[in-house]
Amino acid sequence: TLAEHRGQWVVVNFWATWCTPCLKEIPDLNAFDKARNDVDIIGLAYEEIERDDMEAFLKQHPIDYPIAVLDVYNPPADFDTPRGLPMTHLIAPDGKARNRADGSVEVLAIGAPDALDALGQWLWQGPPNADVEHVAREDLDEIPVSPGFHTA
């Protein structure tokens, strides 16, 4: 669950295999995940997809951080239902949501000398010229996420 990440900053990224902007940001999220020990990234696939199909997708598009496939008919109540993808939340160490970006965080790398710096900037300040909602929600502990791929 997300509660297992308490005490860490967590980036929760809603995405789908058919979403072109989602696919473009995966390499940046992979790189950010490898470069930062103080931030965990969790991918939540928001689509109807069979396990075999997801495993085949992951062979062609490796994702280095933990992911889970969500039930689109019963999404986690702690997050807004995505109106579009990707949608990314920043969860603070106290378990409360701090930022939300609707749209790709990959676009931050355009014109930035270092995509990791741009993504890091978003974590604490919000992305430049992006639709960001600053939120302070209560506990988000019930999201079922564990290392590796599984369905929720």
Side-chain angles (χ1 to χ4, degrees), residues 80-148:
D80 294 332
T81 300
R83 293 175 295 193
L85 295 173
M87 182 173 80
T88 305
H89 292 265
L90 173 64
I91 311 302
D94 64 4
K96 296 180 181 173
R98 296 293 184 219
N99 273 351
R100 186 185 87 204
D102 295 319
S104 178
V105 295
E106 177 270 341
V107 299
L108 296 175
I110 298 172
D114 187 339
L116 298 182
D117 287 345
L119 188 54
Q121 174 190 350
W122 175 77
L123 286 175
W124 285 274
Q125 300 170 5
N129 304 318
D131 180 12
V132 177
E133 177 181 330
H134 294 277
V135 295
R137 294 205 174 190
E138 295 307 312
D139 285 346
L140 301 173
D141 289 345
E142 298 307 314
I143 306 299
V145 176
S146 62

Side-chain angles (χ1 to χ4, degrees), residues 1-6 40 141 145-147:
T1 66
L2 193 53
E4 294 165 359
H5 297 269
R6 184 61 61 100
D40 293 336
D141 289 345
V145 176
S146 62

Side-chain angles (χ1 to χ4, degrees), residues 39-106:
V39 180
D40 293 336
I41 297 181
I42 298 170
L44 299 179
Y46 189 74
E47 66 181 299
E48 292 182 69
I49 187 170
E50 296 295 325
R51 183 180 187 92
D52 290 345
D53 293 333
M54 178 58 82
E55 289 173 351
F57 171 84
L58 292 173
K59 285 180 182 172
Q60 295 207 352
H61 304 275
I63 296 177
D64 300 327
Y65 44 89
I67 66 165
V69 176
L70 298 180
D71 180 348
V72 297
Y73 299 106
N74 188 24
D78 292 323
F79 291 102
D80 294 332
T81 300
R83 293 175 295 193
L85 295 173
M87 182 173 80
T88 305
H89 292 265
L90 173 64
I91 311 302
D94 64 4
K96 296 180 181 173
R98 296 293 184 219
N99 273 351
R100 186 185 87 204
D102 295 319
S104 178
V105 295
E106 177 270 341

